[in-house]
Amino acid sequence: MILVTGGTGLVGAHLLLYLLHKNEAVRAIYRSDFSINKTRNLFKTENKSDLFNKIEWVQADINDIPALEPAFNGVTAVYHCAALISFDPKDEEQLRKVNIEGTANMVNCAIDFGVEKFCYVSSIAALGDTKEGETVISEATEWNPEKNHGDYALTKFGAEMEVWRGSQEGLNVVVVNPGIIFGKGFGTSGSGELLEKIRKGFPFYTKGSTGITSVEDVVHIMTEVMDRGIFGERFTIVSENINLQDLLTILADAMHKKRPYFYARPYMTSIAWRADWLFSKLFFKKRSFTRATSKSSHSLDIYDNSKIINCLNYTFKPMRTCLLTVSQAHQKEQ
């Protein structure tokens, strides 16, 4: 039996679909009946409603250990995809609760129940920091605790530490660090938030770069390294490093929207995150732009994916095709 957390999110839902295509027995954790709807709709869109009915759903929360215990009965493999994604500093406590403490609970249960293998979905945000004069980030790049990191990055890094602690206690683990993940069926969550901004005519762009990937590649790589028994490793999953202006242009063209046309220079985004902070204080709104996101929007770091390519002899899906498909699907969903 395979246990999947985050089965009502983008990666978890597509993972469930893929595992069931392989005739695996799967169990998925959910928190509310409403949260299952997007997963159900994904299976329906793919004409696989019959496979959806094969999922064994268990209502639980990764921070509720008594509720987790029944979910682990008979489980041999775990894919831990559940996480809170937020860049609002007000969510720091909840980010730590879900991403770090929740992962620690999953690791502890996996050890207690004799799980054979454990895959954790981290993020490129948890990879290391380049030194002066460097631009390439790989799995071996060291994390610099003295640098400014957003709360999301800090908690994903902290979650990885819990996974490696589990490895020291005898659990077979592997960690994957995807870039921005694009996939169909999940509205305005995750990368869908970016798609929605473009659909509504977002005018700004910066000249930084980032790593992107498709949800299909993330799922295929996760299952492949687990099936091959590749443990004690972490893998950067980035199909392509792309200039942010180019990314926004592709998305806008796919949805027949106006391309972002206003270049937000570093000093402008510096003013913007401060203004956003003040606005959130005055009107009790969630932060939409922070110091960390301002900095990352101008970063020229390159993510090295050679380790996973060499390990699996893997060929990534062309991202332009993926972006076109996902953008057009998003526009139809709204």
Side-chain angles (χ1 to χ4, degrees):
M1 175 68 73
I2 297 172
L3 176 64
V4 175
T5 71
T8 57
L10 175 63
V11 175
H14 281 266
L15 174 62
L16 289 171
L17 182 62
Y18 185 72
L19 290 172
L20 287 163
H21 267 300
K22 295 172 62 181
N23 294 316
E24 300 282 6
V26 295
R27 181 180 295 154
I29 291 173
Y30 75 102
R31 286 183 294 174
S32 68
D33 292 333
F34 176 78
S35 67
I36 297 177
N37 288 338
K38 286 184 179 179
T39 304
R40 180 184 290 109
N41 290 337
L42 172 67
F43 277 70
K44 185 177 180 181
T45 301
E46 298 294 323
N47 296 314
K48 298 296 180 181
S49 294
D50 56 324
L51 293 181
F52 176 84
N53 295 326
K54 294 182 179 181
I55 301 170
E56 181 184 330
W57 292 99
V58 176
Q59 189 168 18
D61 187 293
I62 60 174
N63 281 307
D64 183 353
I65 295 176
L68 274 179
E69 290 177 351
F72 272 86
N73 283 326
V75 166
T76 57
V78 172
Y79 290 91
H80 181 32
C81 310
L84 176 62
I85 302 174
S86 174
F87 302 98
D88 187 343
K90 293 179 182 178
D91 291 332
E92 178 186 2
E93 183 178 349
Q94 188 64 12
L95 280 164
R96 290 183 178 277
K97 184 74 175 175
V98 174
N99 295 348
I100 299 178
E101 293 182 29
T103 299
N105 292 335
M106 290 297 300
V107 168
N108 291 339
C109 285
I111 293 170
D112 291 344
F113 282 82
V115 168
E116 296 172 7
K117 45 191 178 179
F118 187 104
C119 178
Y120 174 59
V121 182
S122 185
S123 166
I124 56 171
L127 292 173
D129 303 287
T130 53
K131 297 177 182 178
E132 188 175 352
E134 297 178 345
T135 57
V136 178
I137 295 177
S138 73
E139 298 83 354
T141 304
E142 292 185 6
W143 175 274
N144 185 350
E146 295 183 1
K147 283 199 173 184
N148 179 55
H149 300 93
D151 292 323
Y152 174 70
L154 286 168
T155 58
K156 293 299 280 186
F157 179 78
E160 284 195 28
M161 295 303 99
E162 292 294 338
V163 174
W164 296 124
R165 186 260 305 167
S167 176
Q168 292 176 345
E169 296 181 26
L171 182 63
N172 291 320
V173 307
V174 63
V175 174
V176 294
N177 297 79
I180 300 175
I181 304 170
F182 288 90
K184 296 188 295 183
F186 282 80
T188 59
S189 61
S191 60
E193 182 178 355
L194 177 60
L195 291 165
E196 185 63 6
K197 284 183 177 181
I198 295 298
R199 190 184 73 85
K200 291 182 175 180
F202 189 69
F204 304 105
Y205 70 89
T206 60
K207 294 184 178 180
S209 63
T210 192
I212 60 176
T213 191
S214 70
V215 70
E216 290 85 3
D217 280 323
V218 176
V219 165
H220 292 171
I221 288 171
M222 289 165 61
T223 54
E224 187 72 9
V225 294
M226 287 278 272
D227 289 346
R228 292 195 188 187
I230 301 171
F231 302 121
E233 302 285 351
R234 70 199 299 222
F235 294 101
T236 301
I237 305 182
V238 167
S239 309
E240 179 182 336
N241 289 280
I242 188 170
N243 178 277
L244 289 170
Q245 182 182 8
D246 292 340
L247 172 60
L248 298 179
T249 296
I250 292 170
L251 300 179
D253 288 351
M255 291 187 277
H256 305 289
K257 299 296 180 180
K258 187 174 182 179
R259 295 177 176 181
Y261 55 88
F262 190 92
Y263 173 40
R265 300 177 183 276
Y267 81 87
M268 295 178 182
T269 58
S270 180
I271 293 171
W273 76 256
R274 289 173 169 85
D276 184 78
W277 172 84
L278 180 60
F279 187 83
S280 71
K281 291 292 185 182
L282 292 175
F283 299 101
F284 305 100
K285 299 287 187 179
K286 285 183 70 68
R287 294 288 300 277
S288 59
F289 197 66
T290 66
R291 181 179 182 180
T293 50
S294 170
K295 179 184 175 183
S296 66
S297 70
H298 298 284
S299 171
L300 295 175
D301 289 337
I302 300 297
Y303 296 96
D304 180 3
N305 63 3
S306 60
K307 181 177 179 180
I308 192 63
I309 290 174
N310 293 334
C311 182
L312 299 182
N313 191 26
Y314 194 80
T315 301
F316 281 96
K317 179 178 181 179
M319 280 308 298
R320 182 172 289 269
T321 301
C322 171
L323 293 173
L324 291 174
T325 301
V326 171
S327 299
Q328 292 165 0
H330 178 85
Q331 192 168 25
K332 291 179 181 178
E333 291 170 3
Q334 306 310 307

